[in-house]
């Protein structure tokens, strides 16, 4: 992805949301449908590290998020979030030698026609466009198809030495996907992704999906959020902070003067980025 191209995962809030009342009904119906603690961060996978041994980013830690352009490894921060397909094991090792932790960006809820494994996704699981070129929502109910594909992607991150996974498009049930996805479907799928990441010894972040934070904070090791300040939602991420887990937060359209005071109060790890998620950043 070259500079100037919309970043994969950036600005997901521009996708169409379902009306509020049906959403609330879906969430209400989902309450109690998932086994308590399923896939919770407290347990390690069969081949993964116990929770106490996984990386656990703490509130307020600084970070860099770069998904486009030539990677600049000279930003003086302890955490990098970079594309899992585009970056190789040597890049991860170099960042580790410099004392950085490294997060693997993947799309787990949308099909991308430009990825090397694109042909392995049957047409039956591809829905409507998510608003970004070359991307379509996935039918997350079809775990029989998607679980082995996501296992392979997350294993790739582990093989390259990443410390954590940022799974994107984890809120399809809030969008016009072409499938009748429910809040219960999303909880089940998000927990599946968390279990896979933990099974490979990596931490995992909850991307957006604010309504389900109370149900999912125990399953995930940190959160990644876009534009909570612009939409007046940053306080909804407090459960992660109260659990001692970082919230990596990015704004695109607000000046830092509009959100940094609140970010510091809430202990968010906040950045101002451009939509292409290149090198450029402004921090609080």
């Amino acid at each position: 992805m070259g500079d100037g191209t919309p970043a994969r995962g950036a600005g997901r809030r521009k996708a169409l949301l379902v009306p509020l009342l049906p959403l609330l009904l879906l969430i209400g119906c989902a309450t109690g449908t998932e086994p308590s603690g399923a896939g919770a961060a407290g347990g390690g996978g069969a081949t993964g590290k116990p929770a106490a041994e996984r990386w656990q980013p703490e509130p307020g830690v600084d970070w860099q998020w770069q998904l486009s352009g030539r990677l600049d490894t000279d930003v003086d921060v302890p955490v990098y979030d970079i594309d899992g397909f585009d970056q190789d094991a040597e890049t991860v090792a170099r960042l580790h030698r410099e004392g950085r932790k490294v997060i693997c960006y993947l799309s787990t809820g949308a099909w991308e026609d430009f990825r090397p494994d694109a042909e392995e996704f049957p047409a039956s699981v591809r829905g409507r466009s998510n608003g970004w070129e070359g991307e379509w929502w996935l039918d997350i109910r079809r775990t029989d198809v998607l679980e082995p594909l996501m296992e392979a992607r997350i294993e790739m991150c582990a093989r390259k030495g990443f410390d954590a996974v940022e799974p994107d498009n984890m809120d399809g049930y809030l969008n016009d996907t072409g499938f009748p996805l429910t809040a219960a479907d999303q909880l089940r799928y998000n927990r599946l992704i968390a279990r896979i990441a933990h099974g490979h010894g990596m931490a995992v972040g909850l991307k957006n999906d604010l309504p389900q934070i109370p149900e999912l904070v125990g399953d995930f090791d940190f959160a990644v959020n876009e534009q909570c300040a612009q939409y007046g939602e940053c306080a909804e991420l407090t459960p992660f902070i109260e659990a001692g887990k970082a919230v990596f937060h990015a704004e695109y359209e607000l000046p830092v003067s509009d959100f940094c005071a609140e970010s510091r109060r809430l202990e968010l790890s906040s950045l101002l980025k451009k939509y292409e998620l290149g090198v450029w950043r402004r921090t609080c």
Side-chain angles (χ1 to χ4, degrees), residues 5 27 65 173 230:
T5 302
I27 294 171
W65 196 14
Y173 76 110
Q230 182 172 342

Side-chain angles (χ1 to χ4, degrees), residues 109-121:
W111 179 67
E112 303 160 301
D113 66 5
F114 50 89
R115 296 301 192 186
D117 61 354
E119 293 186 0
E120 298 179 31
F121 291 76

Side-chain angles (χ1 to χ4, degrees), residues 86-161:
D86 293 347
Q87 306 300 332
D88 60 17
E90 174 51 36
T91 298
V92 177
R94 183 167 70 251
L95 288 167
H96 281 161
R97 289 194 296 269
E98 295 168 354
R100 279 74 176 270
K101 295 293 187 180
V102 194
I103 300 172
C104 181
Y105 170 87
L106 290 174
S107 182
T108 51
W111 179 67
E112 303 160 301
D113 66 5
F114 50 89
R115 296 301 192 186
D117 61 354
E119 293 186 0
E120 298 179 31
F121 291 76
S124 62
V125 302
R126 306 176 207 162
R128 292 175 180 160
S129 170
N130 66 1
W132 294 89
E133 184 179 356
E135 299 186 23
W136 289 261
W137 289 107
L138 288 170
D139 185 355
I140 60 171
R141 300 169 302 171
R142 293 292 308 280
T143 54
D144 59 320
V145 173
L146 296 181
E147 182 172 357
L149 293 169
M150 296 306 155
E151 173 79 35
R153 286 186 166 194
I154 291 171
E155 182 181 19
M156 173 192 70
C157 295
R159 192 168 59 249
K160 290 181 178 182

